[in-house]
Amino acid sequence: LPIAAESYGPRFARLAETVRANRAALEEQRFAAAEQHVEIALQRGDRGDAATEARQAETLCVKGNDPACVEAARKLLRSSHGR
């Protein structure tokens, strides 16, 4: 949330923290789903679809400001190209 949650009291601060945690969990689930889609596409031999899924995973990781996730997504992208 763009506002200082603490300035609205402890109940609001807890709610804001819960929202942040839920958003982070959702991003992790989306990345895991994208990773599975990459692997399924590779098993089908569809490198184009695998690359598309890997790029979407990378976008989620960048948006989530998670360097480890970004590197994992880039590794997926490289594997989708057969490297």
Side-chain angles (χ1 to χ4, degrees):
L1 296 172
I3 56 175
E6 296 77 24
S7 64
Y8 290 95
R11 288 179 56 193
F12 187 81
R14 284 192 303 274
L15 176 62
E17 182 54 37
T18 299
V19 168
R20 281 194 279 286
N22 286 342
R23 285 180 181 162
L26 180 60
E27 293 301 321
E28 288 176 23
Q29 290 175 350
R30 287 180 181 160
F31 178 79
E35 184 176 29
Q36 290 173 345
H37 284 255
V38 170
E39 293 187 19
I40 291 169
L42 288 174
Q43 288 174 0
R44 286 194 323 256
D46 187 347
R47 294 199 179 278
D49 190 34
T52 298
E53 293 289 346
R55 282 189 203 93
Q56 289 174 354
E58 181 182 19
T59 299
L60 289 171
C61 296
V62 169
K63 184 178 175 184
N65 195 26
D66 185 341
C69 182
V70 170
E71 183 53 38
R74 289 179 179 161
K75 184 177 178 183
L76 281 174
L77 185 56
R78 288 190 300 271
S79 73
S80 73
H81 292 298
R83 297 181 207 160

